[in-house]
Amino acid sequence: MLELIAPMGSVLFSWLLLSFLFGGLGIAVLKTLRQPLASGWDWLDSFWFGWALALCLMQIWHILYPVNDLLLYLFALLSVVLMFWQRGRLREILDRLARNRSFLVFYGLFAIWFANRALGAPYAFDTGFRDIQIVMWLDAYPIVPGLGNLFSSFAFNHSVYLYDALLDASIWSGRSYHIATALLLLVYLAYALGGFIQMGQARAAEGLRWSRVFASLTIPFILFQTLGWNGIAHFLTDTVVDLIGLMTLVCLLDFLQYWRPGSSAHDYHLYRLAIIILTGLTIKQSFVIYGLATALLAIIIWIRRGGLGAGSRRIAKTVLPIVLVALALLLPWMARGVITSGYVAFPQSLGRFELDWTIPAEEIASRQLKLATNTRIREGDPAVVLASWDWLGPWLRDFTGNVFPTMLPTVLSVVALGACLAAKRRDPGEKPSPSLSWWAFAPMIVMLVFWFYTAPEDKYVRYIFWGFAALALTKAALAWRWIAWSRRAIALRLLILLCLAYVVFLIVRSEENFLPAGPNDGFHANVMPNYSVFETADGLRINIPGAYQCWQIPLPCSPLPPEGLAQRVPGELRHGFRIMPTAEAG
């Protein structure tokens, strides 16, 4: 056990420093929104704002420079200056946190477990398939034109890779996958655990914050992320989308509960929701439909509650900050997509630019066909799978066999919705004002319908299933208002503990208990795969792995270099790649 102290201690200390770094950057966003650094659990907003600000700045920075240690030091310097400026307020927040002993004890236990799981090797397929290589390119060069021509998966424009590359410094050089994703999970867990504690302390449902009840019900799902043969040592973008999706629901609930026209203080909830959604749009395309549906719902609610009646000057003052944030986040994101692939939103064919490095249209069509097929039946024949509904039977068997991510929240959702209907029949009286509207479920329903008809693989909507269940349980708990809140809170907390016990059972059954210290400074690592070298007609030497995953093979690596691949400038990887026309290649 003593050999675990150094690696786990370095993980925990790094998470602490990075929390202050992004939290400090978030102070700049709060100041721009004229919002004080809040006490209680709202101070976690500064982390998410700082993280979003860092992604925004890195998208611009990387067009000219690599995402290197210098950028991390600049962010750290800015964060220190901002925290020093708010040192009095920070001292109050930390003093208040220090007095919350129950939170510190339970959160500390979770953090220790996460730190141990972070020691594991990155076994996730996609992390070795593309993620680590993309981070290596971000570290080594400014944005590379036509990088997707080297290997089409390198064209995915996920802004979270910039965050992964930013942390790839100091002792984490070449292995930031040990800390990157886990830090985001722990920050969300802090809010959820705080909600769990406060839910039991509340004496009445009136004045209770819906988002805290909701977040506490997702704690088992967060702990479930540490399960599995890859644990939390990875760069998987789906996990980050899960968190952004849950955070979107947290912000949506606060907006529904607290936003009223004519109050600039309440506009903060609108800005907060907008920033999370806009950031999510740059993270991964699987979030786009849900993000846009949530944004549309927020606009409808804003109009129905009298947002348009505030006067043109007031409306402009409210909308302008959102427009500016959208431009700052989305314009660089779209430009980056064009530079790496020739498309605004690869692998969508929408927004194609005719450039010398534009990925061929047939590659786009092939990738979309494979995605539609593999999300129904893995390695199936597209002509057979997509021609009928015969895939539905095997798909349903896989769906029902995936107990925790999909079936358990489905069962909880059905039970909770039944409880809501039973409460309505028993107590059809006046609803409390404000009440949790059924409209809050609409974006998730839209997302589920779109997902089922396009790419029905559960990894894209795990947060939808658990978000739906948590929201339905929250609504059911609020609906049974003639029962004392203390009893309802006990029932919810017992349900959470029961789900946590099931996760613990899964951990014990998988025999993946506390990890021992690994051979690499206490960490576990994959063995470098064998690879061969292929030389193209123009002298480009490409490393080709023998097992279809590049992992940390030196650049440039490609599992399947396409025919006709060439450098745009011979001998200069920085200037990117193109596909030569057939006649030129011949």
Side-chain angles (χ1 to χ4, degrees), residues 17-34:
L17 291 180
L18 291 168
S19 297
F20 279 114
L21 185 148
F22 292 109
L25 292 177
I27 294 174
V29 180
L30 289 171
K31 179 64 176 176
T32 303
L33 297 176
R34 298 181 180 179

Side-chain angles (χ1 to χ4, degrees), residues 451-571:
W451 161 79
F452 181 76
Y453 279 99
T454 56
E457 187 169 346
D458 59 13
K459 70 176 183 178
Y460 298 125
V461 288
R462 293 178 304 184
Y463 70 94
I464 296 293
F465 280 97
W466 271 97
F468 198 104
L471 188 59
L473 288 167
T474 301
K475 185 169 179 60
L478 295 172
W480 288 74
R481 54 186 178 174
W482 59 89
I483 299 177
W485 172 253
S486 59
R487 295 184 178 181
R488 286 179 278 171
I490 290 174
L492 288 177
R493 297 173 92 185
L494 286 176
L495 179 61
I496 294 169
L497 292 175
L498 184 62
C499 291
L500 280 174
Y502 179 60
V503 178
V504 172
F505 164 74
L506 294 176
I507 292 173
V508 173
R509 189 182 66 173
S510 66
E511 298 181 356
E512 294 180 358
N513 302 320
F514 223 61
L515 292 174
N520 188 11
D521 298 325
F523 296 87
H524 299 267
N526 289 332
V527 178
M528 180 72 74
N530 296 322
Y531 63 93
S532 58
V533 179
F534 171 76
E535 186 170 341
T536 64
D538 69 339
L540 173 63
R541 297 174 62 85
I542 304 173
N543 299 318
I544 301 179
Y548 208 59
Q549 291 171 287
C550 283
W551 293 107
Q552 291 173 314
I553 292 175
L555 304 177
C557 176
S558 174
L560 292 172
E563 186 177 353
L565 179 68
Q567 294 175 278
R568 297 183 62 243
V569 178

